[in-house]
């Protein structure tokens, strides 16, 4: 024992340290990548050529029969057509976000107020938004009242009951929800354009339209492309909003909803696997076409639109403010009414007596405290491991050279392009096989294992940090682990703040993973707790709206207190 010498990690040879830290930092992330990205893809490919029912150990190889069925089934094309509504909505959303981000990037009165109003809907969870707009669209609701006031009473429809308008109604809801996030991303990208470019253009006589088309658009072209890819991918795999609002009725069933029904309801996993791969192929094809189109240099003469009228700019800002706030105000006012007053009073008319007992009913009977507790646990634990996972992989891929590095980079990149919803049929099977279904671990694994974007945000931040800092620390006797802990992590704080905001809001608002993988009552989070109100309270809009307000208040308080940090985090993320 006297001859035994204890070695510190820093005492090991640099090559040995590198091998140890590369293996230890990549082992868990790569395992998650394989299990939750490539294993489901491989299984989808295999089972798409079989008649597997999801439970039997025996199945027959049927070749391309499942794909032939899809091609010959007109119902599948009808369902896929629903995605076109959401793709059109994505283009409208992009145009609106680009417009408002542009005008608010320059001198405008009450700029911070307008920014807050436009962005805030993004922070509200999808179930709350679904309930708000169910109330907004109901017969005699706010939309009908507004149309009557504008002299458009003859154009009133059953907004969620008529097949020709129901998809547009849900698309409008999705635009209302997501436009604010895209707005902040574009706003951050525009803010990174040097001001002297605008000054030089103004000296040369360029008008506002020319500055927008020839300076702003080319400068943020890549940001526009990435956002379009992400949002069109989301449009093709839309699930949450139509499921919450209509359950797929009246022609609103999406392709993804059809995939999940085919697998879980009809036990046709082979057919569902082929449908999932078709969805994935369409998403990748759209991404490739967008890259090809946006990659071309366009030369277009500005013929219309001189300088945008100041009056028109403020009118548009006032209109978008009303559009963003009206549904939230409607829910708040309705939550203070009795059941009869919801139908007897005007949509925004307050009752003589404010019924705060609706909040007690929603909070106590709805067991919302349990929902907030579970949400806090899911957000806290998931964020810790997402940050550790992302920073470790980014550190290795940015600072070390090793065999297979480029292959690993491309593996993470391709996985980030695969819509997570397109592989859910097999992910569900993997979660069940691991024995973590209906436990918090299912949520932890899925939130951590499918977050590839975090790695690239951290890699972008690391590219701005000089390698000489690492080398100086190592010369002074620090180990590679010490460099990661004392130099890399502190310098990654801006990127970490960005991920805390983006991922934290995403987990707080997420509905699908808790609903699909954690259905037990004791595991319900805020979104799934609120969703139960739909069946539990039926048409008791006063209680449902009280529940909606309860879920919105915490995120509103956080937004008010941390508004500057939230904007800065998202803007830094958009620039990267």
């Amino acid at each position: 024992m006297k001859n035994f010498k204890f070695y510190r990690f820093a005492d090991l040879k640099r090559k040995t340290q590198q091998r140890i830290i590369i293996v230890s930092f990549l082992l868990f992330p790569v395992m998650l990548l394989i299990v939750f990205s490539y294993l489901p893809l491989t299984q989808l490919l295999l089972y798409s050529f079989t008649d597997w029912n999801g439970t039997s150990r025996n199945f027959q190889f049927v070749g391309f029969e499942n794909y032939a069925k899809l091609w010959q089934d007109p119902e599948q094309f009808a369902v896929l057509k629903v995605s076109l509504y959401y793709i059109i909505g994505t283009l409208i959303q992009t145009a609106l976000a680009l417009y408002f981000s542009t005008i608010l990037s320059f001198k405008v009165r009450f700029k911070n107020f307008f920014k807050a109003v436009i962005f805030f809907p993004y922070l509200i969870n999808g179930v709350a938004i679904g309930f708000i707009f169910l109330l907004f669209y109901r017969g005699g609701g706010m939309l009908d009242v507004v149309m009557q006031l504008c002299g458009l009473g003859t154009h009133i429809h059953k907004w969620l009951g008529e097949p020709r308008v129901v998809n547009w109604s849900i698309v409008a809801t999705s635009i209302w929800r997501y436009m604010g996030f895209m707005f902040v991303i574009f706003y951050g990208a525009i803010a990174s354009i040097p001001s002297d470019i605008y000054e030089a253009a103004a000296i040369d006589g360029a008008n506002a339209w020319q500055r927008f088309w020839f300076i702003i658009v080319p400068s943020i072209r890549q940001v526009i492309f990435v956002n379009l890819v992400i949002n069109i991918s989301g449009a093709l795999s839309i699930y949450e909003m139509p499921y919450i609002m209509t359950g797929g009725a009246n022609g609103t069933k999406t392709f993804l909803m059809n995939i999940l029904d085919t697998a879980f309801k009809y036990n046709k996993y082979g057919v569902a696997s082929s449908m999932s791969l078709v969805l994935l192929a369409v998403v990748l094809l759209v991404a490739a076409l967008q890259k090809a189109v946006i990659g071309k240099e366009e030369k277009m003469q500005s013929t219309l639109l001189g300088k945008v009228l100041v009056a028109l700019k403020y009118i548009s800002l006032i209109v978008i403010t009303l559009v963003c706030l009206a549904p939230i105000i409607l829910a708040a006012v309705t939550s203070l009414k009795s059941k009869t007053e919801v139908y007897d009073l005007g949509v925004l008319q307050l009752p003589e007596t404010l019924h705060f007992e609706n909040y007690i009913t929603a909070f106590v009977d709805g067991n919302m405290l349990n929902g907030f507790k579970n949400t806090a646990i899911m957000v806290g634990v998931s964020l810790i491991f997402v940050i550790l996972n992302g920073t470790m992989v980014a550190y290795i891929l940015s600072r070390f050279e090793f065999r297979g590095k480029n292959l690993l980079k491309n593996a993470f990149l391709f996985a980030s392009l695969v819509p997570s919803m397109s592989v859910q049929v097999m992910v569900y099977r993997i979660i069940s096989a691991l024995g973590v279904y209906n436990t918090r671990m299912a949520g932890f694994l899925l939130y951590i294992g499918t977050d590839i974007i975090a790695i690239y945000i951290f890699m972008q931040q690391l590219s701005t940090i000089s390698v000489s800092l690492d080398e100086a620390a190592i010369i002074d006797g620090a180990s590679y682990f010490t460099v990661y802990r004392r130099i890399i992590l502190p310098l990654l704080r801006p990127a970490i703040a960005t991920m805390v905001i983006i991922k934290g809001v995403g987990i707080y608002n997420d509905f699908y993973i808790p609903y699909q993988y954690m259905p037990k009552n004791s595991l319900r989070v805020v979104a799934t707790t609120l969703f139960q109100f739909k069946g539990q309270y039926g048409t008791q809009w006063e209680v449902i709206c009280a529940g909606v307000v309860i879920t919105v208040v915490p995120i509103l308080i956080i937004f008010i207190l941390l508004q500057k940090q939230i904007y800065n985090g998202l803007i830094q993320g958009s620039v990267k």
Side-chain angles (χ1 to χ4, degrees):
M1 292 295 293
K2 291 182 179 180
N3 296 326
F4 178 78
K5 185 177 181 180
F6 179 77
Y7 283 93
R8 295 181 308 138
F9 185 63
D11 295 332
L12 299 175
K13 293 180 180 180
R14 291 183 64 174
K15 281 289 184 183
T16 305
Q17 285 190 44
Q18 288 179 3
R19 291 193 189 102
I20 293 174
I21 202 162
I22 288 172
V23 172
S24 60
F25 274 31
L26 290 181
L27 183 62
F28 184 62
V30 170
M31 185 171 63
L32 290 176
L33 177 70
I34 293 171
V35 172
F36 293 108
S37 292
Y38 287 99
L39 180 58
L41 274 176
T42 304
Q43 290 183 328
L44 281 177
L45 184 61
L46 171 65
Y47 289 121
S48 70
F49 296 107
T50 72
D51 63 354
W52 187 50
N53 63 8
T55 56
S56 174
R57 292 186 178 182
N58 301 316
F59 50 83
Q60 298 293 322
F61 181 78
V62 296
F64 288 93
E65 184 179 319
N66 291 329
Y67 294 95
K69 286 180 181 178
L70 295 181
W71 184 257
Q72 295 165 4
D73 188 356
E75 183 183 345
Q76 300 298 340
F77 286 97
V79 172
L80 194 56
K81 285 179 184 176
V82 174
S83 298
L84 293 176
Y85 291 99
Y86 294 94
I87 291 174
I88 294 171
T90 291
L91 299 177
I92 295 171
Q93 176 180 298
T94 302
L96 288 171
L98 197 53
Y99 169 73
F100 287 110
S101 61
T102 300
I103 64 175
L104 287 172
S105 293
F106 300 98
K107 190 175 181 180
V108 175
R109 292 182 180 180
F110 310 112
K111 178 191 289 190
N112 290 334
F113 170 76
F114 290 125
K115 281 165 52 182
V117 168
I118 292 172
F119 176 66
F120 184 67
Y122 171 71
L123 299 176
I124 305 175
N125 75 71
V127 178
I129 291 173
F131 286 167
I132 288 172
F133 277 87
L134 282 172
L135 180 64
F136 185 78
Y137 288 133
R138 73 181 177 92
M142 176 174 275
L143 182 58
D144 290 357
V145 171
V146 171
M147 292 190 70
Q148 287 172 346
L149 290 174
C150 296
L152 299 172
T154 56
H155 297 283
I156 291 175
H157 298 275
K158 292 181 179 178
W159 302 107
L160 297 177
E162 295 182 27
R164 61 175 178 160
V165 297
V166 62
N167 281 305
W168 291 118
S169 300
I170 301 175
V171 167
T173 305
S174 295
I175 293 173
W176 185 89
R177 180 185 184 186
Y178 291 111
M179 195 269 283
F181 178 72
M182 190 177 279
F183 155 79
V184 172
I185 298 299
F186 288 157
Y187 181 84
I190 293 171
S192 68
I193 301 173
S195 59
D196 56 353
I197 297 178
Y198 298 118
E199 294 169 1
I203 292 172
D204 291 339
N207 58 32
W209 169 250
Q210 290 169 328
R211 290 198 296 273
F212 169 76
W213 190 253
F214 295 108
I215 297 176
I216 292 175
V217 171
S219 298
I220 66 170
R221 185 184 298 254
Q222 288 301 318
V223 177
I224 295 172
F225 165 68
V226 170
N227 274 273
L228 278 173
V229 169
I230 292 172
N231 283 278
I232 289 181
S233 170
L236 290 167
S237 54
I238 191 75
Y239 174 83
E240 187 177 48
M241 204 53 66
Y243 182 79
I244 293 168
M245 295 183 72
T246 64
N250 299 325
T252 61
K253 194 173 188 179
T254 64
F255 194 60
L256 180 61
M257 293 170 71
N258 208 29
I259 291 173
L260 298 178
D261 279 350
T262 302
F264 303 135
K265 190 174 180 181
Y266 302 114
N267 293 324
K268 296 181 179 180
Y269 275 71
V271 176
S273 297
S274 62
M275 294 167 68
S276 297
L277 287 174
V278 168
L279 175 61
L280 174 59
V282 172
V283 169
L284 294 178
L285 178 62
V286 169
L289 288 174
Q290 282 182 280
K291 187 172 180 63
V293 171
I294 295 178
K296 293 179 180 179
E297 290 294 328
E298 297 183 15
K299 295 182 179 180
M300 183 177 293
Q301 297 295 324
S302 61
T303 54
L304 301 173
L305 294 179
K307 203 170 185 178
V308 178
L309 296 174
V310 174
L312 182 60
K313 176 171 66 177
Y314 281 100
I315 289 172
S316 65
L317 288 170
I318 291 170
V319 169
I320 196 64
T321 298
L322 293 174
V323 168
C324 289
L325 292 181
I328 300 173
I329 294 171
L330 173 64
V333 171
T334 304
S335 70
L336 298 171
K337 296 178 180 179
S338 67
K339 186 171 184 178
T340 56
E341 288 169 338
V342 170
Y343 298 95
D344 294 342
L345 298 179
V347 290
L348 293 180
Q349 183 181 350
L350 282 170
E352 292 183 3
T353 303
L354 302 181
H355 296 272
F356 289 104
E357 65 270 17
N358 294 331
Y359 287 88
I360 298 173
T361 301
F363 191 82
V364 177
D365 294 352
N367 199 18
M368 297 196 74
L369 181 61
N370 179 67
F372 280 111
K373 180 194 75 173
N374 287 327
T375 300
I377 293 171
M378 294 306 300
V379 171
V381 175
S382 298
L383 282 179
I384 290 171
F385 283 97
V386 164
I387 291 167
L388 286 174
N389 194 60
T391 54
M392 288 192 302
V393 175
Y395 176 51
I396 298 300
L397 294 180
S398 299
R399 293 298 205 250
F400 296 89
E401 295 297 329
F402 55 92
R403 189 177 300 174
K405 174 180 174 179
N406 289 332
L407 177 63
L408 188 59
K409 269 187 178 181
N410 291 331
F412 278 110
L413 178 61
F414 179 76
S416 70
L417 296 175
V418 176
S420 61
M421 299 300 283
S422 68
V423 296
Q424 287 304 306
V425 171
M426 291 304 157
V427 169
Y428 180 87
R429 184 170 176 267
I430 291 169
I431 288 295
S432 299
L434 290 173
V436 295
Y437 177 75
N438 227 353
T439 69
R440 289 195 185 97
M441 184 57 68
F444 294 147
L445 287 174
L446 291 174
Y447 287 132
I448 299 164
T450 58
D451 198 323
I452 313 296
I453 301 300
I455 294 170
Y456 286 92
I457 289 180
F458 291 135
M459 284 181 67
Q460 287 292 334
Q461 178 77 39
L462 273 171
S463 67
T464 66
I465 300 172
S466 176
V467 181
S468 60
L469 293 174
D470 307 24
E471 294 172 346
I474 290 169
I475 291 171
D476 289 341
S479 68
Y480 285 106
F481 179 76
T482 302
V483 170
Y484 165 76
R485 184 166 56 89
R486 294 189 176 180
I487 296 177
I488 300 300
L489 280 181
L491 292 176
L492 282 178
R493 281 176 185 167
I496 290 172
T498 299
M499 282 313 305
V500 167
I501 293 163
I502 294 175
K503 192 68 176 181
V505 170
I507 297 172
Y508 179 86
N509 289 338
D510 186 45
F511 168 74
Y512 180 81
I513 288 177
Y515 182 72
Q516 190 70 32
Y517 298 98
M518 300 157 53
K520 192 189 299 183
N521 288 349
S522 61
L523 296 179
R524 283 176 176 164
V525 295
V526 167
T528 49
T529 298
L530 185 60
F531 185 68
Q532 69 169 328
F533 283 31
K534 191 174 183 180
Q536 185 175 351
Y537 296 105
T539 55
Q540 291 180 257
W541 286 110
E542 69 286 358
V543 178
I544 291 175
C545 287
V548 167
V549 173
I550 289 171
T551 64
V552 170
V553 166
I555 205 74
L556 176 61
I557 293 172
I558 292 172
F559 177 64
I560 292 172
L561 295 177
L562 303 176
Q563 187 177 159
K564 184 176 180 181
Q565 289 84 346
I566 290 172
Y567 283 142
N568 288 341
L570 289 173
I571 287 171
Q572 286 171 357
S574 71
V575 173
K576 292 174 179 55

